[in-house]
Amino acid sequence: MSGPTLIRAPPPDPAKSLIENVLELTPLTSVAPDIFTNTRELWHPPGARGVYGGAVIAQCLSAAQQSIPPPSPSNGHAVFLIHSMHCYFVLAGDSTIPIVYYVERVRDGKSFITRTVQARQKGKCIFTTTLSFVREGSAGKATVDHGWTMSEDTVAKLDAALKEQDAVTDTDAEALGVQGFGPFESIRLPIENNTSPDIQTKKTRQWIKARGRISSTDEPQVHLAALAYMSDSYFIGTVARVHNLWRFSFSKNRGEKARIYKDPMARMEEEENSDADQERPRASIGMMVSLDHTIYFHRPREIKADEWMLSENESPWSGDGRGLVFQRIWNRDGVLVATCVQEGLVRLAQNESPESKF
């Protein structure tokens, strides 16, 4: 009988962080080289169409990383690290059956290596990505450098939040990670420019980090995959937040308005709109799913996913049932380590009355 993994999942490794256990892959070398499958069942967020997209993104990256030649005399001891990946969500992933990842070695060059990865279920492609790896130091000593800076008071706000233990965590998403705990945690900051009539000027921000300590401290690959996992957290949901739309429904069949907490984002929405007149008719999301996802890794060596990183999201455009979101990620030292872009389907609940159809 089919299950969520091809091979019986081993017990969680206590020497590894939760996110390392969640993202672990099993190579299917008896079938063919460069084929992998998920070692453990992947999380299906309550109310979502399929598995959490960040898990598939991260496992595709991990699979591609395993195909990169290690430093050796034959390649001049070259080290290649991911600098960009461009992804498309094709079909919703089913958490009750395994995902098989097929890596194609497109090109191995002197400065760049290209890979594609397809995630498949029941013979159908559910996700595809093209990844590019760059040789460290190939640009030479003199380079052109600039980058977005982080607000000066942001770290101080983090320290204050940590002291108050004012964290928005995902501990109640029981299937998210190992032993009922999510593999990462976050501290939400207030929406910047939330009262502005210009939607594109609003910014949602949160501090994120992997829960616990990542064991592979000497190699950046696990940290890069962990960042990829976290980068999909409430990404396209930024459009709903900056437009002040309801993402989560009220139960109208009870005497009191009871929030259906599909995930921690529902509590976040409840708090942000606590002053809103809930009796007033208000637009709500009918359907919202990710279509594509791009990550640019600017400083791979400076990404420490088990230390606090600031994620800042803004939406420059939405229309025609879609929305676009930009995300910048800094480490705690204020170094811009990654930039992400996502477009998603954002359709409103139309709530058409029967009379309007005639």
Side-chain angles (χ1 to χ4, degrees), residues 312-326:
E312 179 180 86
N313 294 359
E314 60 184 356
S315 178
W317 175 87
S318 64
D320 196 27
R322 304 189 312 280
L324 185 67
V325 182
F326 293 161

Side-chain angles (χ1 to χ4, degrees), residues 47-287:
R49 296 174 64 246
V51 299
Y52 172 58
V56 183
I57 295 170
Q59 290 195 327
C60 281
L61 173 55
S62 296
Q65 286 172 332
Q66 295 190 40
S67 74
I68 303 301
S72 67
S74 61
N75 64 11
H77 301 282
V79 175
F80 287 84
L81 294 175
I82 184 71
H83 75 88
S84 70
M85 61 184 302
H86 304 270
C87 318
Y88 284 91
F89 298 94
V90 181
L91 294 170
D94 185 347
S95 63
T96 65
I97 60 176
I99 297 179
V100 180
Y101 299 95
Y102 296 84
V103 180
E104 181 179 355
R105 304 189 183 209
V106 178
R107 181 179 183 270
D108 287 37
K110 293 182 179 180
S111 297
F112 293 91
I113 290 177
T114 306
R115 297 287 185 263
T116 62
V117 182
Q118 279 198 3
R120 290 181 167 269
Q121 287 185 317
K122 294 183 177 180
K124 294 183 178 180
C125 176
I126 65 167
F127 181 91
T128 183
T129 178
T130 299
L131 310 94
S132 183
F133 297 78
V134 64
R135 177 174 179 161
E136 279 193 310
S138 60
K141 294 182 178 180
T143 60
V144 179
D145 295 275
H146 74 275
W148 282 94
T149 57
M150 187 170 65
S151 302
E152 294 181 0
D153 62 341
T154 306
V155 174
K157 291 179 179 178
L158 168 65
D159 293 336
L162 289 174
K163 290 180 181 179
E164 297 173 2
Q165 296 183 344
D166 184 20
V168 177
T169 64
D170 47 11
T171 56
D172 57 337
E174 294 184 353
L176 177 56
V178 181
Q179 299 175 344
F181 292 95
F184 71 95
E185 53 187 317
S186 65
I187 296 177
R188 179 174 55 87
L189 300 177
I191 296 178
E192 189 174 302
N193 303 323
N194 196 26
T195 59
S196 173
D198 299 320
I199 298 298
Q200 63 272 16
T201 66
K202 297 184 180 183
K203 297 178 182 179
T204 65
R205 298 177 298 167
Q206 64 175 342
W207 287 95
I208 54 175
K209 78 177 186 71
R211 197 183 302 278
R213 181 62 63 181
I214 291 177
S215 62
S216 304
T217 55
D218 295 333
E219 297 296 331
Q221 282 79 7
V222 176
H223 291 271
L224 298 173
L227 180 142
Y229 184 97
M230 294 185 285
S231 71
D232 196 38
S233 173
Y234 310 135
F235 200 172
I236 194 60
T238 300
V239 177
R241 291 184 67 193
V242 298
H243 276 273
N244 199 25
L245 302 173
W246 288 124
R247 286 185 58 201
F248 303 91
S249 60
F250 283 108
S251 174
K252 297 180 180 179
N253 298 323
R254 305 173 68 176
E256 59 180 356
K257 291 186 176 69
R259 172 64 69 183
I260 300 174
Y261 285 103
K262 291 184 178 179
D263 64 23
M265 191 65 174
R267 288 196 299 274
M268 185 183 301
E269 177 187 292
E270 184 77 30
E271 294 170 3
E272 290 174 352
N273 300 300
S274 59
D275 296 331
D277 181 4
Q278 296 175 358
E279 298 298 330
R280 173 172 51 86
R282 188 169 167 207
S284 62
I285 293 295
M287 185 177 184

